[in-house]
Amino acid sequence: MGLIVQKFGGSSVADVDKMKLVAGRVIAECDRGNQVVVVVSAMGKTTDNLLSLIAQVTDRPNPREVDMVLATGEQISIAILALVLQTMGRKAISMTGPQVGIITDPFHRKARIRDINTARLREKLDEGHIVIVAGFQGLTQSGQITTLGRGGSDTTAVALAAALHADRCDIYTDVDGVYTTDPRIVPDARKLATITFDEMLELASLGAKVLHNRSVELARNHNVPLQVLSTFSQNPGTLVVKEYTNMEDIVVSGVAYNRDEYKITILGVPDQPGMAAKLFSKIGEANVNIDIIVQNISHRGLSDISFTVGKEDFQNARDVAEQFVKEYGAEGIRTDDAVGKVSIVGVGMRSHGGIAATMFGALAKENINIQMISTSEIKISVVIARADVDRAVQAIHREFELQSEPKLTAR
Ligand code: ADP
Ligand code: ASP
Ligand code: MG
């Protein structure tokens, strides 16, 4: 008898009819003789709606209370799915993150799973239950409810698969796999049969919502067999693997984007050793995740430092920047709340040149201005105006001909 973890995202459990389809998927896995743990997200747009509710009260909400509100979304979907399965004659039980024993660190809204005590889960599985677990949530050592960051149900699923030594973790969603880019923006994007953990981790960290980045990291570190497939079709999905043949020859595997970037520039920072260290340690203390950083060449002993952050960190980062300006005599701050980031990812970039030139050329042809650039061994990212993001993704995808099967270079 195997053990399978299945995860179903918000659009897969958006209403009761969809939950019945999900139940069919779960039952099929049980009838193959497997024990099944099911992780679900909140129904449809529930999490967005809960955030809008909070926004009606304040734009600087106490993160503990935010988690308290957000965790309710998943609590509804697990119980409804359990009821659906029970009416179909199956033994099913719903469990919240805290009930399962998912222990996290204390960082509200972006908590990381520290430990999972699987005893209760095992007991329920051994009694013959399908166990339905609320994604995205956990409990701190001191008993506070936390959430794992947007899209975090994927991470709950992979963490459970790792802790239970499951045979597989299947992520069911509204697309039938990982594509060369978001098929909503580029309809002729190509589905990938396989992708490496490293590439998927980059794509996810750079905004490809199809998998939460922490889930990919956990699957890689714990060797969890991971696949992405559709709730609504029988098509084969995408396997996330350690490596595949010819991977060094595929220069660009995918294009990712993130529309939710916010840029903060601190103007006229005294050009002295230690300034950047002071600024970024204060930002670190505020638990703000920084994305791209650029420091301009200094002019008259002053330089500008720009960085980008996600939407959830913007207010906090701005407060820290304003405080820094006062304390260290910088000239002021400028913010831009309408930027986005587009990135290309590919393992083959390590061994091929000219990739940046091709990417920037595609943007130039579209008259899209690049504001910031950041590169690593297997990715290149640019920050541009948010309004240009879709056009940039389409142009870059076209330029690298990602819609067609890659032509492999002879070695
Ligand atoms: P779920 O609610 O099931 O977790 P998400 O909305 O989080 O689903 O993720 C699935 C969505 O990810 C797809 O509908 C698609 O628009 C988007 N997406 C972004 N990049 C990619 C990609 N490279 N391949 C497939 N889907 C992608
Ligand atoms: N419901 C949460 C969200 O919308 C978690 C998830 O769907 O993975 O971000
Ligand atoms: Mg998701």
Side-chain angles (χ1 to χ4, degrees), residues 189 287 330 372:
N287 198 28
M372 298 165 111

Side-chain angles (χ1 to χ4, degrees), residues 35-109:
Q35 291 185 316
V36 181
V37 174
V38 185
V39 173
V40 285
S41 297
M43 294 171 70
K45 300 248 167 274
T46 301
T47 308
D48 288 334
N49 296 340
L50 292 170
L51 283 168
S52 316
L53 190 63
I54 293 168
Q56 288 176 40
V57 182
T58 169
D59 62 358
R60 282 183 175 74
N62 175 321
R64 178 188 182 278
E65 306 308 332
V66 174
D67 279 350
M68 211 61 163
V69 174
L70 294 190
T72 63
E74 272 70 11
Q75 193 167 338
I76 297 173
S77 49
I78 50 170
I80 301 287
L81 183 59
L83 291 170
V84 170
L85 280 159
Q86 287 165 11
T87 56
M88 291 173 153
R90 300 291 168 147
K91 231 172 139 178
I93 183 167
S94 61
M95 294 177 96
T96 63
Q99 284 175 328
V100 166
I102 297 180
I103 302 297
T104 74
D105 66 22
F107 298 109
H108 284 289
R109 303 193 68 177

Side-chain angles (χ1 to χ4, degrees), residues 124-157:
K124 292 294 165 201
L125 286 171
D126 292 342
E127 287 167 11
H129 284 96
I130 299 164
V131 185
I132 304 164
V133 179
F136 179 54
Q137 55 178 256
L139 197 70
T140 67
Q141 291 286 7
S142 64
Q144 305 300 320
I145 290 177
T146 50
T147 63
L148 310 180
R150 296 305 306 268
S153 296
D154 300 333
T155 297
T156 306

